[in-house]
Amino acid sequence: MKFQDFICRKALIANLEATTTRGVLEEMVAALVKAGKLSESMHKGVLDTLTSREKKATTGFGNGVAIPHVKHKAVTELIGVVARSSAGVDFAALDGKPVYIFFLLLSPPDKPAEHLKAMENIFRNAQKEHWRRFLQQADSAEAIWELLVEADEEAIV
Amino acid sequence: MTIINRQGMHARPAMQIVEISNRFKSGIKIRKGSMVVDAKSIMQVMTLEAVQGTVLVFEAEGADAGEALNALAQVVAEKFQED
C-alpha cells in the first residue's frame, strides 16, 4: 500500500501549533474534518478514542516519530494524515525524546489487513533516517507530500 | 507459530512481542518468508504485516533462548488476550 492511497493531502500540517498530546490529536483531527474526510459529528468521538488510546500506551515509538491510530466504527475507509512540529512535542515517547513527525491513521474495524498494510508502510519508511530527517525539515504541506510520493516511488523500484 | 487472533499482529500485540523479547538476553529474530526482523524493535516488528493466518518463525540465540521462545509461543497462542 502507498501513502498516496490513504494519506489525505488536503489535511497535511507542516507547522503544528500544538504542544501537547491532546493538542496534536485535536489539530490533526480538525484538519481531517476541514478537508472533508471526517464529518463534524465524528470529530469528538474519534478524538476521544485517539486520546484514550494514547493514555493506554503511547504511539511515540521513538526516533521522533509517533503513529497515533485507532479503529473506529464510524470510519469506512483508511484515513491518514501527516503532521510535523518544528519544535517537537513531548508525546511520552518510548525513548523519551520529543516527537517531530506524526502519522495519524484511522481504520475501519472490519478491515484488519488493510490496517496492517498501511502500518507496514508507515513503519518501513519511518526507519529510514534520511527520510525522517527530510520530513522533520519539511516546512510546507507540499514538501511533506513530495516526500510521501518519493517514498511511494522508491517502494516500486 | 501462526498468528490466530482476528485483528492480526497490530500495534498492541506487536508491543507485547517486543516487551517480552526485551526481558531476555538472547538475540531474537522473527522470520516471515525471506524477511527477518529483530523481535526487540517495534519499528521492525510492525513491518511484518502479520495478518490472521500468517506463519512466523521465531529464532532465539543465547543462554535463555528456550525460555524466551516459550514465553513468545504462549502469548501468540493466547491470541494476545484478544478475540
Side-chain angles (χ1 to χ4, degrees):
Chain A
M1 187 176 298
K2 297 190 210 168
F3 282 121
Q4 290 166 86
D5 296 332
F6 66 96
I7 297 289
C8 175
R9 186 176 183 174
K10 280 198 262 175
L12 298 173
I13 304 172
N15 288 290
L16 277 168
E17 284 170 20
T19 55
T20 61
T21 297
R22 173 82 181 185
V24 169
L25 299 174
E26 206 161 345
E27 212 173 324
M28 293 180 83
V29 172
L32 285 170
V33 172
K34 199 176 163 211
K37 275 283 167 185
L38 283 178
S39 69
E40 190 57 53
S41 63
M42 286 158 72
H43 192 156
K44 192 173 179 302
V46 168
L47 184 58
D48 287 345
T49 316
L50 280 163
T51 307
S52 63
R53 166 67 177 84
E54 287 305 321
K55 275 188 192 146
K56 260 184 235 159
T58 181
T59 62
F61 292 114
N63 292 325
V65 177
I67 306 168
H69 61 277
V70 283
K71 291 171 182 149
H72 197 282
K73 57 182 187 313
V75 172
T76 53
E77 55 167 3
L78 286 179
I79 303 172
V81 61
V82 180
R84 167 233 180 213
S85 163
S86 59
V89 176
D90 176 4
F91 210 71
L94 295 175
D95 61 2
K97 293 181 186 162
V99 173
Y100 297 91
I101 308 155
F102 298 86
F103 295 88
L104 186 144
L105 181 68
L106 307 173
S107 311
D110 57 346
K111 290 183 181 156
E114 298 284 291
H115 172 78
L116 287 177
K117 269 187 195 147
M119 292 294 263
E120 184 276 337
N121 185 25
I122 297 170
F123 278 85
R124 174 167 39 79
N125 283 294
Q127 285 181 66
K128 299 177 190 162
E129 198 190 333
H130 69 281
W131 190 74
R132 275 201 316 266
R133 200 168 56 235
F134 284 130
L135 211 46
Q136 199 173 322
Q137 291 162 358
D139 58 3
S140 70
E142 207 39 50
I144 294 176
W145 184 252
E146 276 170 26
L147 285 162
L148 298 175
V149 171
E150 190 185 296
D152 283 347
E153 282 166 4
E154 260 177 49
I156 297 166
V157 180
Chain B
M1 294 181 220
T2 305
I3 298 299
I4 49 177
N5 62 309
R6 229 174 324 135
Q7 295 287 337
M9 209 161 78
H10 58 99
R12 199 186 61 83
M15 276 306 296
Q16 281 181 266
I17 293 289
V18 171
E19 276 166 17
I20 291 169
S21 299
N22 276 298
R23 281 184 220 149
F24 298 94
K25 290 202 177 75
S26 296
I28 305 171
K29 291 194 181 332
I30 309 174
R31 210 178 274 278
K32 177 189 159 188
S34 59
M35 184 181 181
V36 188
V37 305
D38 181 349
K40 297 186 181 185
S41 158
I42 183 65
M43 298 302 286
Q44 293 190 30
V45 171
M46 280 301 289
T47 63
L48 285 169
E49 207 192 312
V51 298
Q52 185 180 36
T54 300
V55 177
L56 300 176
V57 178
F58 287 74
E59 295 171 353
E61 223 179 289
D64 53 9
E67 270 174 84
L69 291 177
N70 281 339
L72 290 164
Q74 192 182 338
V75 74
V76 172
E78 286 170 354
K79 304 181 181 180
F80 309 98
Q81 278 84 48
E82 290 187 356
D83 293 1

